[in-house]
């Protein structure tokens, strides 16, 4: 349950970048990944992911099985191939 707020901030950054790339991000260390994922998803998809994470956080206290909650949440994640960013940073 402790990782859900981090994931929520990550997906919010993706939504923010997809909406307006000029707005500041929270997870600056993941900026390349955020840009890549935002380019691969629609604004509607990122909005739905945010809604799912918000709902999961609200239900976190109600569920006895946090693992099941997180697994169900992750089933809705899109499949996006992220290039090896270490290779890009060495060039």
């Amino acid at each position: 349950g402790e990782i859900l707020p981090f994931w929520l901030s990550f997906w919010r950054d993706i939504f923010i970048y997809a909406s307006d790339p000029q707005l500041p991000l929270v997870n600056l260390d993941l900026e390349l990944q955020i840009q890549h994922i935002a380019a691969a998803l629609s604004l509607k998809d990122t909005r739905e992911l945010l809604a799912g994470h918000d709902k999961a956080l609200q239900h976190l206290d109600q569920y006895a099985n946090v693992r099941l909650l997180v697994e169900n949440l992750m089933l809705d994640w899109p499949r996006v191939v992220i290039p090896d960013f270490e290779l890009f940073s060495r060039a």
Side-chain angles (χ1 to χ4, degrees):
E2 296 168 0
I3 194 77
L4 286 177
F6 171 76
W7 285 345
L8 184 59
S9 75
F10 178 74
W11 289 111
R12 280 188 178 147
D13 275 350
I14 292 171
F15 179 75
I16 287 168
Y17 188 84
S19 301
D20 183 357
Q22 302 303 316
L23 293 173
L25 302 176
V26 172
N27 299 291
L28 295 176
D29 57 326
L30 300 172
E31 187 172 4
L32 289 174
Q33 293 88 338
I34 290 166
Q35 291 172 355
H36 184 79
I37 295 170
L41 299 176
S42 71
L43 198 56
K44 180 182 178 227
D45 290 338
T46 58
R47 191 176 316 127
E48 289 173 0
L49 283 163
L50 280 176
H53 278 73
D54 279 333
K55 193 177 291 185
L57 279 172
Q58 291 171 6
H59 292 155
L60 189 58
D61 292 331
Q62 299 170 359
Y63 286 99
N65 191 338
V66 175
R67 181 178 174 179
L68 182 60
L69 175 73
V70 171
E71 287 176 357
N72 282 328
L73 180 63
M74 291 176 72
L75 286 172
D76 290 333
W77 283 11
R79 295 191 184 358
V80 178
V81 177
I82 300 174
D84 186 354
F85 287 101
E86 287 184 26
L87 293 176
F88 291 117
S89 64
R90 291 184 210 155

